[in-house]
Amino acid sequence: MTEPLPFLKMHGLGNDFVVLDARAQALELSPETARRIADRHRGVGCDQLLILEPARNGGDLYLKILNADGGEVGACGNGTRCVARLLFEETGRVEAKIETRAGLLTGLDSDGLVTVDMGPANLGWQEIPLARELDTLHLDYAKGPLSDPVAVNIGNPHVLFFVADAEAMDLETLGPQIETDPLFPERVNVGLVQHLGGDRLRYRVWERGVGITIACGSGACAAGVAAARRGLTGRRVRVTLDGGDLRIDWRDDTHVLMTGPASKSFAGTLAPELLG
């Protein structure tokens, strides 16, 4: 590609994205190119790249999600909120249907915030997936000071460790060790969950292919589901991440709703030399 490529920079609670519109003209990015764009020193910098493609199955569009390491993932809650906001502005509607590798996700305008139906919480060991059959409510797994986690898949695999103090854990060291453990054949997002009392949770996350991020929407959903499964909270919780708060509602039909902000930062063009 020799022409500059327009992009939009957005974030959800600081979980930041480079948004590329490939609905009118197809765009294929190699993992190497994605890594260059995501580089915070030599590129634009982001946790994920969001590529808007033509709808395939009746939605408003198809959302392709690339992590900062260039690997494709199934879902991104904060990113889906951002794309839903763009669709609200484009269409004038208050509902958006966004196709992803994890399925069709619905976004709703919620008085300035965006609510996304992230689909059902998947709890079976094969759905996570795990390398062998284990109880996903009390996973027989430990790493250093962390043990007895809950495993949940919300479009992406998550393993959640309940801790007395989420700030005290060395997530930067433990995160990559757990992410790449053979028990998780597709790697895994690693969450630390602290119950603050009532229906309040504190959540920190190591995202597979990215590292520590200040917010992870699908991870916040997984934390809410894990806490409810353990009987620590009800099915509606407020999750505090490094970047701010999300409202999580695990409905009786097993779908998980996530509500939070979606913000624009700036627009620009990617230079040809960045694209390769």
Side-chain angles (χ1 to χ4, degrees):
M1 181 178 294
T2 58
E3 296 297 321
L5 180 66
F7 74 90
L8 182 63
K9 185 73 183 289
M10 299 187 73
H11 73 91
L13 297 180
N15 186 193
D16 61 337
F17 313 102
V18 169
V19 184
L20 302 172
D21 193 342
R23 287 175 289 180
Q25 182 174 351
L27 174 65
E28 291 295 332
L29 296 181
S30 68
E32 181 183 4
T33 300
R35 289 192 292 270
R36 283 200 299 269
I37 295 170
D39 189 296
R40 296 189 182 278
H41 300 287
R42 298 178 174 86
V44 179
C46 64
D47 293 323
Q48 282 91 17
L49 283 79
L50 306 180
I51 303 174
L52 313 184
E53 298 182 346
R56 304 174 185 179
N57 294 297
D60 291 306
L61 55 74
Y62 182 89
L63 173 59
K64 184 176 182 179
I65 306 161
L66 303 179
N67 272 343
D69 68 352
E72 185 175 357
V73 295
C76 173
N78 290 318
T80 303
R81 287 204 318 279
C82 288
V83 173
R85 177 185 167 182
L86 294 179
L87 285 169
F88 299 156
E89 294 173 354
E90 281 186 10
T91 65
R93 303 198 308 265
V94 295
E95 181 177 274
K97 299 290 187 181
I98 300 169
E99 301 172 22
T100 71
R101 201 170 76 176
L104 182 65
L105 306 181
T106 301
L108 299 171
D109 191 333
S110 185
D111 295 326
L113 301 177
V114 180
T115 296
V116 172
D117 181 346
M118 295 292 292
N122 297 301
L123 309 177
W125 72 273
Q126 292 172 311
E127 297 173 309
I128 301 304
L130 303 176
R132 61 184 184 277
E133 183 173 0
L134 290 172
D135 178 4
T136 62
L137 181 56
H138 290 281
L139 206 62
D140 183 16
Y141 178 83
K143 179 67 69 174
L146 302 176
S147 63
D148 187 33
V150 180
V152 182
N153 187 302
I154 306 280
N156 299 308
H158 294 271
V159 61
L160 296 309
F161 295 89
F162 287 89
V163 297
D165 185 353
E167 314 297 335
M169 295 294 165
D170 184 6
L171 186 58
E172 189 168 6
T173 297
L174 294 166
Q177 296 175 12
I178 298 169
E179 175 196 348
T180 56
D181 191 285
L183 179 61
F184 309 105
E186 295 182 5
R187 297 186 294 165
V188 73
N189 297 281
V190 183
L192 304 177
V193 186
Q194 178 182 348
H195 184 214
L196 301 177
D199 290 331
R200 292 291 307 275
L201 301 172
R202 172 73 174 101
Y203 172 68
R204 296 181 63 214
V205 61
W206 173 277
E207 289 197 59
R208 60 175 180 168
V210 182
I212 293 176
T213 58
I214 64 175
C216 173
S218 66
C221 293
V225 170
R229 291 186 73 201
R230 285 279 176 94
L232 298 173
T233 67
R235 297 172 74 98
R236 303 186 69 177
V237 298
R238 182 174 292 274
V239 181
T240 298
L241 304 97
D242 290 343
D245 288 3
L246 291 172
R247 298 201 308 265
I248 307 298
D249 182 0
W250 185 24
R251 298 189 319 206
D252 291 338
D253 66 359
T254 77
H255 281 235
V256 185
L257 303 186
M258 172 195 56
T259 302
S263 305
K264 293 180 180 178
S265 299
F266 57 89
T269 55
L270 302 175
E273 55 262 40
L274 187 63
L275 298 170

